[in-house]
Amino acid sequence: MSSALFGPATGVGSMPGGDAREAAKTVAGSIDDFPYLPELPARGPGADMIGRTIGLLVEMYAHVEPSGWRISDRPGRDTRRAVSWLGEDLDALEEFTQGYEGPLKVQAVGPWTLAAALELRGGEAALGDPGAVRDLAESLAEGLRTHLADVRRRVPGAQVVLQLDEPSLMAVLRGQIRTASGYRTHRSVDRQLVESTLREVIGVSEDPVIVHSCAPDVPFALLRRAGAAGVSFDFELLTERDEETIGEAVEGGTKLFAGVVPSTDAALSDPAGSVMGVRTLWRRLGLNPGTLSESVVITPSCGLAGASPAYARAALAHCVRAARSLADNPE
């Protein structure tokens, strides 16, 4: 995976506030060689991660119930709002990326987190119905194909990197997603089915696809086999158990999107301090320090929706400086 496919630093997705132009301007101004399409969940249902992705689905609709998003027969106000906000965000991104050439990231929820969150008409998660999961994955794949084509048309010089957000992936694999009653959990889904469904959705893009999860125990090996070109994760949550699979991933050409900068307001250390853990990990794994900057993209630990606007701006700028420190001084 050539390092030209990605920039040295980027954000995860969400930003504070509700002003699409302000968010796009901040992102394009802070991260000039790997900008991304901001998400603004503070606007309410339809701007949240799940609602936004439901707006991309083809011939599948949902509305908001007190328990969350539930499948509908036709597009209602909630789906229309999601589509409208995404359009507004894309307009703003297009405005601030005029003439841009290089990698540009867009985010959507992956099929398993979507199946765990989206309720069928009876109120149970789609996850419990294999047919519903299949239909959902197909609808998502088709919707993403259209969405990516739209982004390429709007920013013709961009190489569009798709990020699939899968925070519930391990809970799906371990059978930890609760049923509607809350008394039981859905049974664990077979790893091969999880992998093949992810592979189908990843296959919609001609450009690289990365998978993001800021939950513990990210299944690096499974994501690599499913075709992910990169894995985005919260660096603080790594344990020694993860190290071997990370070493194998790096040697296999997988890009690591290391979330090392706090995603909510915090005192920021010097940029070199932020990437010290990454350097230490490299030494422990016996990897060549010279490969560090081409194997790692620096990001915040998760989305910045919970941060103040001033901190979000500072965090993105800090990621860029930390990535530069890694490139200038890999040892």
Side-chain angles (χ1 to χ4, degrees):
M1 196 46 59
S2 131
S3 58
L5 299 181
F6 304 109
T10 190
V12 171
S14 66
M15 292 287 283
D19 184 331
R21 287 187 75 254
E22 190 54 42
K25 184 176 162 190
T26 297
V27 166
S30 307
I31 301 200
D32 52 6
D33 44 15
F34 197 179
Y36 60 97
L37 177 65
E39 301 168 353
L40 302 171
R43 291 182 295 199
D48 61 300
M49 193 165 89
I50 300 295
R52 192 175 176 84
T53 301
I54 284 165
L56 294 172
L57 298 178
V58 172
E59 291 180 2
M60 278 184 107
Y61 315 104
H63 63 279
V64 178
E65 289 278 338
S67 51
W69 285 88
R70 186 172 295 180
I71 291 278
S72 313
D73 295 323
R74 60 185 68 83
R77 189 185 60 206
D78 296 330
T79 308
R80 283 197 299 270
R81 193 190 292 132
V83 172
S84 155
W85 272 331
L86 180 60
E88 208 177 285
D89 294 341
L90 285 166
D91 289 345
L93 182 76
E94 188 179 348
E95 179 186 343
F96 290 103
T97 50
Q98 288 293 310
Y100 173 74
E101 292 182 2
L104 169 70
K105 186 165 71 70
V106 297
Q107 305 82 221
V109 174
W112 292 105
T113 295
L114 197 57
L118 182 58
E119 298 173 1
L120 300 176
R121 288 177 184 80
E124 282 298 351
L127 184 65
D129 179 337
V133 173
R134 207 168 35 247
D135 293 347
L136 191 56
E138 282 170 13
S139 171
L140 175 63
E142 206 174 319
L144 285 171
R145 211 173 268 121
T146 307
H147 178 49
L148 294 172
D150 181 30
V151 178
R152 289 189 192 104
R153 187 180 52 72
R154 287 166 175 270
V155 192
Q159 183 200 17
V160 183
V161 175
L162 170 63
Q163 171 182 308
L164 293 174
D165 291 317
E166 280 285 12
S168 304
L169 189 59
M170 281 314 291
V172 166
L173 285 164
R174 288 176 173 160
Q176 292 167 340
I177 300 292
R178 295 210 163 277
T179 56
S181 69
Y183 295 125
R184 291 186 310 111
T185 55
H186 289 278
R187 68 164 74 100
S188 61
V189 180
D190 176 71
R191 288 185 91 84
Q192 276 170 318
L193 177 60
V194 168
E195 190 183 313
S196 63
T197 304
L198 274 168
R199 188 178 298 114
E200 277 165 42
V201 177
I202 286 172
V204 303
S205 178
E206 57 212 49
D207 287 326
V209 175
I210 68 166
V211 178
H212 166 72
S213 171
C214 35
D217 301 325
V218 176
F220 288 91
L222 182 150
L223 296 176
R224 280 179 59 212
R225 287 195 305 271
V231 181
S232 167
F233 57 97
D234 180 345
F235 192 82
E236 284 283 291
L237 297 179
L238 288 186
T239 65
E240 279 179 30
R241 275 204 314 273
D242 299 308
E243 290 187 4
E244 196 178 323
T245 53
I246 286 186
E248 285 165 10
V250 171
E251 286 174 341
T254 305
K255 210 51 166 182
L256 300 184
F257 284 64
V260 297
V261 175
S263 57
T264 49
D265 293 39
L268 293 169
S269 69
D270 67 303
S274 295
V275 287
M276 200 158 60
V278 181
R279 289 196 185 97
T280 306
L281 173 67
W282 235 243
R283 273 200 301 276
R284 275 211 303 273
L285 293 173
L287 295 167
N288 171 7
T291 63
L292 248 178
S293 63
E294 62 199 51
S295 302
V296 175
V297 177
I298 296 299
T299 73
S301 58
C302 211
L304 294 165
S308 65
Y311 178 79
R313 226 182 347 263
L316 292 178
H318 191 83
C319 288
V320 172
R321 286 197 298 272
R324 199 170 301 135
S325 154
L326 209 52
D328 293 347
N329 179 17
E331 303 285 354

